[in-house]
Amino acid sequence: MAAATSFGTACILRRAAQAFAISHSHIFNTNATFSFQRKLSSQILSVSTSSASGVSQAVQASNGEVDVLVKGVGERNVTKEVKHILEMARRASLKRETLHTDFLTPPVLKESMLVLEKLADVKAISQGGYPQAERCRISVGHPEELTSDPDVISALSIKGNFQFEPCSHGDFLGSILGTGIVREKLGDIILQGEQGAQIIVVPELVEFLMSTLVKVRNVPVTCTKIPLISLDYEPPRTKSFKTIEASLRVDALASAGFKISRSKLVNMISNGDVRVNWNPVTTKGTTLKSGDIISVSGKGRLKIGEINSTKKGKFAVELIRYL
């Protein structure tokens, strides 16, 4: 009996160690600079030459050219991630291999795809499991090599009896991350009401989560792998309304959108509980624009819709609350 228990413990520890290594693999990646080819019509060229063996070689782009490519990307942390993905595209083009990112936030995904579209000899595919997915992985490679969608995402169904203890998106996220994996290895979480949820993950962590995720809050759960075609996704329900504000500051619009006092909202900003476009807000004076997404811990999300100026110099703002 003791031997069996020891063996079982060893298996669990080994799986945990493997999951940790997979989940934190991005920490050990080096940001080496590689070469890639670009369109000849671009002002920031990489000149392609051929060796005697006919193997195409690319002249390495300078850091200044990379800066030109990412010019216009707003947030500093988004720019940093886009540059990292650009380096990955260089390597994929030069080595004729296919490389994959972790799951990306919508701002990083959008900006990365815009940059990658400017590169010749690089094909980029984004996948999140279903058409409306917010968090996706990008695969990059030479067009001749990347001819189909790579198998880089998997889906799990988390089932339990949530009839008497409904769990939120944050509850599922907290329980999943509590197993030891990092957020970058996890895609979208699709809530299924009383039945539980469906999640998108990297394939390497499927078996680990199936064996270690046994509870969400106080509800016992079971995890099973499901095909992507079985994902049961419905467009989110929303409610739109308008507010008249003297400014477009985040404390003003979030206070109106979530029906909480501005002083409480300011405290939440100080505690790091407020995000704009998935990035933490550091000051209550942050100015918002149409299309921005505000997330408040425990309150949900809302989107800034159409903004118009009033005759009295104020702003009529459409707020779209996700229910």
Side-chain angles (χ1 to χ4, degrees):
M1 182 66 178
T5 303
S6 176
F7 177 77
T9 302
C11 289
I12 293 175
L13 290 175
R14 184 168 61 253
R15 287 180 179 176
Q18 291 172 344
F20 179 86
I22 293 171
S23 179
H24 294 72
S25 61
H26 65 292
I27 297 176
F28 305 105
N29 289 337
T30 57
N31 291 332
T33 302
F34 298 94
S35 299
F36 71 110
Q37 296 177 349
R38 288 215 209 103
K39 293 180 180 179
L40 190 59
S41 59
S42 172
Q43 294 179 354
I44 44 177
L45 300 177
S46 278
V47 181
S48 245
T49 58
S50 296
S51 63
S53 60
V55 178
S56 178
Q57 298 178 337
V59 177
Q60 182 174 327
S62 69
N63 290 333
E65 291 173 336
V66 173
D67 291 337
V68 172
L69 278 173
V70 300
K71 185 178 181 180
V73 178
E75 298 290 338
R76 181 177 300 178
N77 58 339
V78 173
T79 301
K80 182 179 179 180
E81 292 195 54
V82 173
K83 284 184 176 181
H84 177 74
I85 295 169
L86 182 57
E87 298 302 320
M88 185 181 294
R90 290 172 162 182
R91 176 182 176 186
S93 179
L94 180 62
K95 301 292 185 179
R96 293 240 173 180
E97 59 186 356
T98 301
L99 299 174
H100 319 285
T101 69
D102 287 331
F103 285 100
L104 306 172
T105 62
V108 175
L109 175 67
K110 175 184 176 181
E111 297 295 346
S112 296
M113 292 301 290
L114 289 174
V115 170
L116 292 170
E117 288 175 357
K118 300 176 183 179
L119 306 182
D121 297 330
V122 171
K123 181 178 180 180
I125 297 175
S126 66
Q127 297 183 83
Y130 58 102
Q132 298 87 355
E134 292 186 348
R135 296 175 62 85
C136 297
R137 301 184 73 182
I138 294 179
S139 300
V140 290
H142 193 280
E144 295 178 1
E145 303 295 330
L146 189 55
T147 57
S148 61
D149 293 354
D151 184 18
V152 294
I153 54 176
S154 295
L156 287 173
S157 174
I158 306 174
K159 288 191 175 294
N161 186 2
F162 295 92
Q163 181 177 0
F164 302 107
E165 190 172 355
C167 288
S168 66
H169 181 282
D171 293 325
F172 281 94
L173 177 60
S175 296
I176 295 167
L177 299 185
T179 64
I181 73 172
V182 294
R183 187 66 175 96
E184 291 78 11
K185 303 298 180 181
L186 175 66
D188 284 3
I189 298 175
I190 306 171
L191 299 181
Q192 301 288 301
E194 296 179 359
Q195 300 300 315
Q198 296 173 336
I199 64 173
I200 314 297
V201 298
V202 295
E204 299 89 336
L205 290 177
V206 167
E207 291 188 9
F208 173 76
L209 287 173
M210 288 173 60
S211 62
T212 58
L213 184 60
V214 295
K215 183 180 291 188
V216 175
R217 209 157 67 182
N218 295 317
V219 180
V221 298
T222 57
C223 291
T224 55
K225 184 178 179 180
I226 60 174
L228 295 176
I229 196 173
S230 297
L231 289 172
D232 185 14
Y233 175 78
E234 294 183 1
R237 295 182 298 115
T238 61
K239 177 182 179 181
S240 299
F241 56 95
K242 288 190 176 182
T243 182
I244 305 298
E245 302 294 334
S247 73
L248 298 176
R249 291 175 19 158
V250 63
D251 58 339
L253 297 185
S255 175
F258 292 105
K259 309 298 183 184
I260 56 180
S261 68
R262 190 172 298 192
S263 60
K264 183 176 180 180
L265 198 283
V266 170
N267 289 334
M268 298 183 77
I269 290 176
S270 300
N271 294 333
D273 294 329
V274 180
R275 293 173 177 264
V276 173
N277 298 329
W278 291 267
N279 297 312
V281 174
T282 58
T283 173
K284 63 182 181 181
T286 300
T287 302
L288 304 181
K289 62 184 183 302
S290 294
D292 284 344
I293 302 290
I294 308 173
S295 304
V296 176
S297 298
K299 300 294 182 181
R301 294 187 300 170
L302 66 83
K303 183 178 182 179
I304 308 300
E306 185 178 358
I307 300 175
N308 293 301
S309 298
T310 68
K311 294 180 179 180
K312 295 183 178 181
K314 295 187 176 182
F315 299 94
V317 184
E318 179 189 21
L319 300 177
I320 305 169
R321 180 79 180 270
Y322 290 88
L323 304 177

